[in-house]
Amino acid sequence: MRRLIALTLVALGLSAGAAYARGVGVGAFAGMSVPVLQEDVDKGNMFGVRVPVALVPLFTVEPYYASAALGEATETVAGIDYTREGFDEKAYGVNAMLTMGGPVQFYPFAGIGQTSLKRTGFDDSFTTYNFGLGLGISPMPKFSIHLRGELQTVVDGEASRKFGNVTVGASYALFSMP
């Protein structure tokens, strides 16, 4: 009988935590996108929006939209300098995050999406995979500041382009769900 009562109390406690942890928010971010091992493009500014949806206490899905303006790069081939225009990058997708609640959060995340890269003479869309780590600080209820580092891989069949992204942003929990 004691076991049954203890298990019932634990289940009620977990369900109350799950009810409090579920909700939908909105956030914005900005930062830097740095090409990894690519000589035809240079780093550029990045910005976007995220919509975190907390499903259960430790799991959040986060649809996102991001845009980056990558810089032009100069290559020297056979003693002749060539300047290539940077890409305009547009990306959207969804991240899955293992979030630990509280005023200080440390969370790994991974995601999948679609990225389009565009410059003169080149316009194509690719599947994108990304993963990284985030640090969130919540100075007041419902409001958080986030710092993230991620590796973004844009896959083109036999090859890929990789970008290291560092962003800072803020999010606000719009409402909680029971």
Side-chain angles (χ1 to χ4, degrees):
M1 184 67 162
R2 286 184 184 171
R3 236 185 221 165
L4 181 59
I5 291 172
L7 288 174
T8 303
L9 289 175
V10 168
L12 286 173
L14 290 175
S15 66
Y20 177 73
R22 297 184 339 165
V24 177
V26 65
F29 65 92
M32 186 67 77
S33 183
V34 180
V36 178
L37 299 175
Q38 298 177 56
E39 296 187 13
D40 66 337
V41 67
D42 202 5
K43 65 183 181 245
N45 296 324
M46 166 182 246
F47 64 91
V49 295
R50 297 178 176 127
V51 181
V53 179
L55 300 174
V56 294
L58 294 175
F59 186 71
T60 301
V61 294
E62 182 182 64
Y64 67 88
Y65 171 81
S67 178
L70 300 167
E72 64 182 33
T74 302
E75 293 180 90
T76 303
V77 178
I80 300 172
D81 289 340
Y82 294 97
T83 300
R84 289 190 188 218
E85 163 184 6
F87 287 115
D88 286 328
E89 177 184 357
K90 307 281 189 237
Y92 63 90
V94 65
N95 290 327
M97 304 175 353
L98 292 175
T99 53
M100 317 303 175
V104 177
Q105 307 163 358
F106 180 74
Y107 50 90
F109 63 92
I112 187 168
Q114 190 75 23
T115 297
S116 70
L117 298 174
K118 184 185 288 190
R119 67 177 167 199
T120 304
F122 186 88
D123 184 3
D124 210 348
S125 293
F126 308 96
T127 300
T128 301
Y129 302 98
N130 60 302
F131 67 92
L133 294 173
L135 172 67
I137 299 172
S138 184
M140 66 176 86
K142 295 190 171 195
F143 179 76
S144 295
I145 298 168
H146 299 273
L147 175 65
R148 294 189 186 184
E150 73 177 351
L151 179 65
Q152 174 188 17
T153 304
V154 178
V155 180
D156 176 20
E158 67 263 355
S160 67
R161 288 183 175 268
K162 295 172 186 64
F163 300 92
N165 301 327
V166 177
T167 62
V168 64
S171 65
Y172 183 78
L174 295 174
F175 59 88
S176 296
M177 296 181 287

